[in-house]
Amino acid sequence: MNFNINENELLELLQELIKIESINPTLSKHGSGEAEIAQYIGNYLKKMGLEVRYQDIGDGRLNVVGILKGKGNGKSIMLNGHTDTVSIDGMEIESFNPVFKNGKVYGRGAMDMKSGLAAIILAVKTIIETKGELNGDMILTFVADEEYASLGTEKVVEEYHADAAIICEPSNLQIVIAHKGFAWIKVGVHGKSGHGSLPEFGVDAIVKGGKFLVKLEDLEKRILSQKKHPLLSSPSIHASLIKGGIELSTYPDYCEIQLERRTLPGEDRDYITEEINNLIKNLHGEDTKFNADFDVFFYRSPLEVSSNQPIVQSLSKICSQTLNRKTKFSGFSGWTDAAILNDAGIPTVLFGPKGVGAHGSLEFVNFRSVVSTTQILIGTILDFCN
Ligand SMILES: [Zn+2]
């Protein structure tokens, strides 16, 4: 199934989006944020006949949402992509002056993920021009802040819902139905301060913290690395930050260790809490002078969508027809906004073009894969919403 998409317009739009600097301002103080690119996309969508709304996520940073109502007797679909990029520190070529060479488009955001945004817009434009009204609604959400705290997609789920969603992050034209989650945990190890010459009084919180770190390595080796998910490999845990101590001649009464636990589907917040709790309890059993408390202070859930979901079925059918190959399901090791949509009751998959150098010093996207992404989006939307 092939639709007549305007490839020149797709390329031009991608290049225009790259030209608008939209570095996440929380990541880099020189970043301009997402307002200008949101306005640009909003105007584009208005010309296409969509109802356009903006959501302010704070400090004038904008999401832009485009809605095209269907006849009301079909399933609704959300198409999502982030408009922010990471910074350009250390980039090799002109980051906002996109170059098209040998079938590749170079520039910051070319791969991650302005190509996905352009594919969404051109897919919907082609549908409007060739098919007119669908049965179900299309909700296009172009969100801010995915590269930092996902404030944009969190704002989207407060107001909008759909029967399914596709996020067009670069996925190498594979259908991503799972990714890991993560938890950030602060562990406070408590000792007793005392003069360095009086060991009978002091309890060294840093040395006790060392015992905890040994247990952590043991947990990773004996348990976590033995677990395997077919698409995501193993979960993991590592110590990221440590601080403690006051001066050389004093026993430290406190040592703080911050950890990151990367989780598989099924390992929810309670599970992680129980795991760390057991670790501390066991250590206290072995050494009554070991005392610690902890807090899971930030948690993002993993993603796993059943391959029986209608959106996965539609996408994989159209994918194999268009690319003439068997569907490949895959997993991301990193976390994405898909988990937020999925947790809000919108079954969500990731699907997008092929590129190299996301967040790196040389970033490009393979333009043919952007064309394929657009084709596949058109087919999937028609199949799912009609
Ligand atoms: Zn991205």
Side-chain angles (χ1 to χ4, degrees):
M1 202 180 342
N2 266 315
F3 299 91
N4 222 348
I5 64 166
N6 185 336
E7 291 186 20
N8 288 334
E9 186 179 354
L10 180 64
L11 179 61
E12 226 167 84
L13 174 59
L14 169 55
Q15 291 179 313
E16 288 306 313
L17 293 175
I18 294 170
K19 280 184 202 164
I20 304 169
E21 182 260 294
S22 59
I23 295 174
N24 188 311
T26 316
L27 291 178
S28 165
K29 61 177 190 293
H30 305 298
S32 302
E34 304 88 346
E36 188 188 342
I37 195 168
Q39 297 285 359
Y40 181 89
I41 293 173
N43 291 337
Y44 215 97
L45 300 180
K46 266 183 213 154
K47 281 193 202 129
M48 284 161 49
L50 272 71
E51 181 193 337
V52 173
R53 298 181 198 161
Y54 295 92
Q55 291 181 307
D56 194 327
I57 66 157
D59 299 323
R61 298 173 66 187
L62 298 178
N63 287 343
V64 54
V65 179
I67 298 166
L68 196 69
K69 285 257 175 236
K71 292 177 200 142
N73 53 344
K75 291 196 283 290
S76 59
I77 193 164
M78 183 183 285
L79 302 161
N80 173 294
H82 63 87
T83 54
D84 59 326
T85 71
V86 294
S87 76
I88 52 165
D89 298 342
M91 275 193 90
E92 287 170 22
I93 58 161
E94 201 55 50
S95 321
F96 305 116
N97 191 4
V99 176
F100 181 49
K101 208 170 107 189
N102 299 332
K104 296 166 184 149
V105 180
Y106 294 81
R108 175 54 86 222
M111 173 190 183
D112 184 15
M113 59 163 285
K114 291 179 175 176
S115 46
L117 307 182
I120 291 173
I121 296 168
L122 252 286
V124 172
K125 189 161 191 251
T126 310
I127 289 175
I128 294 170
E129 285 167 359
T130 57
K131 297 278 171 187
E133 204 178 12
L134 299 183
N135 292 337
D137 302 343
M138 287 189 274
I139 303 155
L140 281 56
T141 57
F142 300 91
V143 298
D145 198 46
E146 190 275 346
E147 297 289 6
Y148 185 68
S150 295
L151 300 175
T153 292
E154 283 191 332
K155 191 90 181 168
V156 163
V157 297
E158 285 175 14
E159 267 186 71
Y160 300 98
H161 193 84
D163 292 315
I166 303 173
I167 300 184
C168 296
E169 287 273 13
S171 73
N172 204 7
L173 297 176
Q174 298 189 9
I175 302 171
V176 175
I177 54 171
H179 66 58
K180 290 183 191 174
F182 67 94
W184 288 341
I185 305 153
K186 192 186 283 180
V187 179
V189 184
H190 300 276
K192 197 169 154 224
S193 60
H195 195 280
S197 68
L198 300 169
E200 58 276 32
F201 293 116
V203 176
D204 186 335
I206 295 176
V207 167
K208 299 296 180 199
K211 288 191 166 185
F212 179 80
L213 292 174
V214 169
K215 289 283 181 202
L216 215 60
E217 189 182 32
D218 184 58
L219 171 71
E220 159 108 12
K221 268 196 193 145
R222 269 192 324 107
I223 305 194
L224 303 187
S225 67
Q226 305 305 312
K227 287 188 174 184
K228 298 272 185 254
H229 183 282
L231 298 176
L232 301 174
S233 179
S234 304
S236 59
I237 194 161
H238 75 274
S240 312
L241 296 163
I242 184 162
K243 66 179 182 211
I246 301 159
E247 63 215 350
L248 274 168
S249 57
T250 301
Y251 276 79
D253 66 344
Y254 186 68
C255 174
E256 184 185 285
I257 300 167
Q258 295 195 34
L259 316 169
E260 183 180 75
R261 171 76 157 85
R262 293 279 170 164
T263 59
L264 289 186
E267 296 179 328
D268 61 9
R269 194 184 193 122
D270 287 347
Y271 183 94
I272 303 305
T273 304
E274 184 69 11
E275 186 178 80
I276 301 297
N277 200 25
N278 283 339
L279 215 70
I280 289 174
K281 235 170 46 194
N282 290 343
L283 266 169
H284 184 75
E286 290 167 18
D287 172 2
T288 52
K289 285 189 176 168
F290 178 90
N291 287 299
D293 49 39
F294 73 100
D295 179 27
V296 181
F297 68 93
F298 194 73
Y299 174 81
R300 290 295 198 186
S301 48
L303 172 79
E304 187 163 53
V305 178
S306 159
S307 55
N308 294 324
Q309 279 289 342
I311 188 63
V312 183
Q313 299 274 315
S314 284
L315 185 55
S316 66
K317 182 175 78 188
I318 302 296
C319 233
S320 48
Q321 282 170 6
T322 309
L323 302 173
N324 216 349
R325 66 170 196 217
K326 232 182 132 237
T327 302
K328 282 187 196 145
F329 292 118
S330 63
F332 269 1
S333 57
W335 184 86
T336 78
D337 276 5
I340 296 177
L341 296 177
N342 201 54
D343 288 351
I346 307 170
T348 302
V349 292
L350 297 133
F351 179 78
K354 196 190 277 194
V356 169
H359 301 203
S361 59
L362 185 69
E363 177 175 355
F364 65 82
V365 69
N366 171 318
F367 186 65
R368 292 318 306 167
S369 76
V370 187
V371 175
S372 300
T373 300
T374 311
Q375 295 278 9
I376 290 163
L377 282 178
I378 295 170
T380 304
I381 295 166
L382 293 176
D383 189 71
F384 186 79
C385 297
N386 268 346

